[in-house]
């Protein structure tokens, strides 16, 4: 069947359409993205303001139209940290459902980590052994570790690149004192979780997902996205440590000129690099491999795993069927 995943994230609202059936890998058919930056639309009370709510509703409507145009049979809509942590999350979710018919399921941070881990495990297979997964989003950092399809440990930290940029790096270029303070904050947060993972032993393979890691790997010499999904892409800590001070000295416009860096993410790249560097250092990772699958694919795979017994459906948004993740 043709499935759609509607991911309301901290940076973007992303509709991914795939052709899938149980036992086969999902084949991408269409991608529809909108830069919404929900994490930056929070007011002083931590609520998504009226403008942000209206923009979210309009963006969800556009995604529904795209899903219908592409023949999506089942739509799996979910939201992550920006909606999860908004003080008016319940009101926002109610408005979205009332205006569009879409009932967004808000994933917990641990669910994000577990679903991302599932996607990476399926991508690399059992031969990869014990996996350590790192994922830097707009609002949070997810870390998961395990040898099976369900991780032994999974945590979510409020260390997303967008969140940290807004709160800690107001200057352009960033003030060196702000960069130092953020570096200290990031490492203190990550250090609190290291012990929870170290008791399981060293991983056999360290994997990173997310746009931030893809861009950092590209800066360090990894292959372009146009060269395909199956080209191995790595990021070495030594290369990242060389890039962090260079990124800190650049303006947002200068970062946007770098290979593989999108204009919409250039402002967040320094914060993301500090999180990546801190995680690799504190977990003792010299080299990691970038995985092309992440949370959205994990949601699809979990849906396919439960497809034979799935009968809880509701119709929304002009005929597109939406289901919980």
């Amino acid at each position: 069947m043709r499935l759609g995943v509607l991911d309301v994230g901290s940076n973007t609202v992303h509709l991914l359409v795939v052709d899938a059936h149980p036992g086969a890998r999902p084949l991408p058919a269409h991608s529809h993205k909108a830069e919404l930056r929900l994490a930056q639309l929070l007011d002083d009370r931590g609520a998504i303001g009226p403008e942000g709510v209206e923009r979210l509703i309009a963006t969800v409507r556009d995604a529904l139209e795209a899903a219908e145009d592409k023949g999506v049979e089942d739509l799996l809509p979910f939201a992550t940290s920006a909606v999860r942590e908004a003080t008016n999350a319940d009101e926002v979710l109610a408005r979205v459902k009332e205006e569009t018919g879409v009932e967004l399921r808000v994933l917990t941070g641990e669910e994000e980590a577990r679903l991302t881990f599932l996607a990476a495990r399926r991508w690399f297979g059992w031969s990869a052994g014990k996996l350590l997964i790192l994922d830097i989003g707009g609002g949070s950092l997810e870390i998961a570790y395990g040898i099976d399809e369900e991780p032994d440990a999974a945590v979510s930290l409020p260390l997303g690149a967008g969140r940290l940029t807004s709160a800690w790096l107001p200057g352009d270029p960033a003030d060196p004192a702000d960069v130092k303070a953020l570096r200290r904050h990031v490492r203190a947060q990550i250090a609190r979780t290291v012990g929870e993972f170290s008791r399981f032993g060293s991983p056999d393979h360290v994997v990173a997902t997310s746009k931030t890691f893809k861009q950092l790997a590209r800066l360090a010499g990894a292959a372009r996205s146009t060269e395909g999904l199956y080209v191995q892409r790595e990021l070495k800590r030594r290369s990242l440590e060389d890039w962090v001070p260079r990124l800190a000295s650049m303006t947002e416009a200068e970062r946007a000129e770098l290979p593989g860096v999108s204009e919409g993410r250039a402002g967040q790249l320094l914060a993301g690099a500090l999180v990546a560097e801190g995680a690799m250092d504190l977990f003792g990772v010299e080299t990691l491999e970038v995985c092309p699958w992440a949370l959205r694919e994990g949601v699809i795979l979990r849906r396919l795993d439960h497809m034979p017994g799935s009968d809880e459906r509701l119709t929304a948004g002009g005929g597109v069927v939406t289901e919980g993740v």
Side-chain angles (χ1 to χ4, degrees):
M1 66 165 53
R2 179 155 283 196
L3 294 175
V5 173
L6 181 59
D7 175 2
V8 178
S10 298
N11 284 316
T12 62
V13 175
H14 188 170
L15 170 70
L16 175 64
V17 178
V18 301
D19 291 320
H21 63 270
R25 62 186 176 92
L27 297 174
H30 180 70
S31 178
H32 176 89
K33 297 180 185 179
E35 292 276 350
L36 194 56
R37 304 287 182 86
L38 273 180
Q40 298 178 23
L41 295 176
L42 302 179
D43 60 24
D44 294 338
R45 300 178 295 109
I48 300 174
E51 178 187 355
V53 175
E54 294 302 325
R55 288 172 59 185
L56 174 58
I57 290 170
T59 304
V60 170
R61 281 190 181 129
D62 289 343
L64 279 176
E65 290 181 7
E68 291 180 6
D69 288 345
K70 297 302 176 181
V72 168
E73 299 175 59
D74 287 326
L75 183 67
L76 311 176
F78 66 91
T80 55
S81 63
V83 174
R84 179 170 69 234
E85 296 170 14
T87 56
N88 62 336
D90 290 342
E91 293 90 336
V92 172
L93 295 170
R95 279 288 313 281
V96 170
K97 183 178 180 180
E98 178 185 356
E99 298 288 341
T100 69
V102 172
E103 185 170 2
L104 291 172
R105 176 184 170 187
V106 180
L107 298 180
T108 67
E110 183 178 329
E111 285 175 324
E112 283 191 59
R114 289 182 174 277
L115 288 165
T116 302
F117 185 90
L118 172 63
R121 169 59 73 194
R122 293 283 178 88
W123 180 267
F124 288 105
W126 298 114
S127 63
K130 293 178 287 187
L131 287 179
L132 174 65
I133 308 299
L134 304 172
D135 180 285
I136 302 172
S140 58
L141 163 69
E142 274 68 52
I143 308 170
Y145 175 100
I147 195 168
D148 297 316
E149 290 200 337
E150 282 291 326
D152 296 310
V155 300
S156 178
L157 301 175
L159 297 177
R163 176 203 296 270
L164 296 178
T165 301
S166 298
W168 293 81
L169 300 177
D172 187 25
D175 186 300
D178 291 337
V179 175
K180 185 175 181 180
L182 176 56
R183 182 179 187 274
R184 185 166 56 246
H185 170 74
V186 164
R187 286 169 178 259
Q189 292 281 318
I190 296 173
R192 295 173 185 171
T193 71
V194 172
E196 182 177 346
F197 291 86
S198 61
R199 63 191 177 92
F200 294 106
S202 300
D204 298 310
H205 199 56
V206 182
V207 175
T209 67
S210 76
K211 187 71 169 179
T212 294
F213 273 113
K214 290 176 182 178
Q215 292 185 340
L216 292 172
R218 179 73 184 91
L219 288 181
R224 296 180 176 87
S225 59
T226 54
E227 296 185 36
L229 292 178
Y230 302 104
V231 176
Q232 186 177 26
R233 294 173 174 86
E234 293 184 339
L235 175 63
K236 297 183 181 298
R237 176 158 42 116
R238 183 175 57 189
S239 297
L240 182 56
E241 290 171 344
D242 290 340
W243 267 103
V244 167
R246 295 171 63 182
L247 293 172
S249 67
M250 294 179 178
T251 64
E252 180 176 342
E254 288 170 336
R255 290 187 211 120
E257 296 296 323
L258 295 171
V261 178
S262 64
E263 184 177 352
R265 299 294 182 97
Q268 304 178 12
L269 189 59
L270 172 58
L274 289 169
V275 175
E277 180 192 37
M280 292 182 74
D281 187 10
L282 290 166
F283 279 96
V285 177
E286 295 298 330
T287 303
L288 56 76
E289 185 172 355
V290 177
C291 178
W293 280 5
L295 176 59
R296 285 181 289 274
E297 286 78 11
V299 169
I300 291 168
L301 291 167
R302 179 62 54 82
R303 169 70 178 88
L304 291 176
D305 287 347
H306 294 86
M307 187 178 289
S310 178
D311 59 2
E312 297 179 359
R313 302 185 179 186
L314 58 91
T315 301
V320 175
V321 178
T322 65
E323 303 197 26
V325 177

